[in-house]
Amino acid sequence: ENNQRCKMTALINLKRVLLAILFLFLFSCSQGTAPIPPSNGAKIYFTGESEKGRSIKMSSLLPYLKVEHVRSCVHCHGPKGKGGIWMTNEVKAPDISYKNLTSDEAPYTGHKGHKAYNDEMIIRAVKQGIASDGRVLDSSMPRWFIEDDDMKDLIDFLKTL
């Protein structure tokens, strides 16, 4: 009886192991290739934090931006950088896809047009709130305190939008 109980336990354990192996095999096959980890620029865009653990802080003249949910670019410009989110009664967050920012021809949501940005002008807009044509951006655009290497990574990410 004890011998038979050992055989049953071994059989049950073998079934569990085989089911676990089958599950892992099926799960790994359904996943395709392993996901590519997000870039530092993507992490900053979506979370407001860098891979190095730095929190990207902001300064804003609008108190609600400081206390509400705005902690990163995505909260105003959306997951694809297309904007369209109303920031004030008169201002929608613009499309900040790299193609739109760097083209003289692209429509600039919320404005009648803009001079094409280059990387240095994008940095100036993000850090100082100054548009490509030198005017001050609306106060709904926070001024971000971001390290140069993180800013470069953020621009690289904008190029994928």
Side-chain angles (χ1 to χ4, degrees):
E1 188 175 314
N2 198 16
N3 191 20
Q4 195 165 11
R5 190 179 299 159
C6 285
K7 286 181 182 178
M8 287 297 279
T9 302
L11 187 59
I12 290 170
N13 287 337
L14 179 61
K15 285 182 181 179
R16 287 180 181 162
V17 168
L18 290 174
L19 282 173
I21 291 171
L22 178 63
F23 174 76
L24 289 172
F25 175 75
L26 292 175
F27 181 75
S28 66
C29 289
S30 69
Q31 298 302 305
T33 59
I36 298 170
S39 67
N40 185 43
K43 183 169 182 171
I44 292 166
Y45 185 87
F46 285 100
T47 69
E49 291 187 8
S50 75
E51 288 178 341
K52 296 173 184 159
R54 292 189 285 230
S55 180
I56 312 301
K57 304 289 185 199
M58 68 155 175
S59 170
S60 174
L61 298 175
L62 300 178
Y64 73 87
L65 287 180
K66 295 178 184 178
V67 296
E68 295 294 327
H69 64 282
V70 177
R71 297 286 178 257
S72 67
C73 311
V74 73
H75 293 109
C76 301
H77 298 285
K80 296 185 179 187
K82 297 298 179 190
I85 299 167
W86 285 100
M87 302 311 301
T88 67
N89 288 339
E90 299 175 7
V91 178
K92 277 187 187 179
D95 180 340
I96 59 165
S97 61
Y98 194 79
K99 182 178 180 180
N100 187 55
L101 288 175
T102 58
S103 172
D104 283 322
E105 304 300 319
Y108 190 59
T109 307
H111 298 281
K112 293 181 179 175
H114 67 87
K115 177 181 172 188
Y117 282 80
N118 58 34
D119 290 0
E120 291 76 26
M121 292 174 178
I122 294 172
I123 293 167
R124 187 177 70 175
V126 170
K127 290 183 170 188
Q128 300 172 2
I130 300 173
S132 60
D133 60 7
R135 67 185 164 75
V136 176
L137 292 172
D138 185 83
S139 60
S140 61
M141 170 61 185
R143 282 42 169 176
W144 296 93
F145 303 106
I146 181 170
E147 298 291 331
D148 292 342
D149 58 333
D150 288 334
M151 189 67 224
K152 180 191 175 307
D153 292 343
L154 180 59
I155 289 173
D156 288 344
F157 175 70
L158 292 178
K159 292 176 181 179
T160 70
L161 298 179

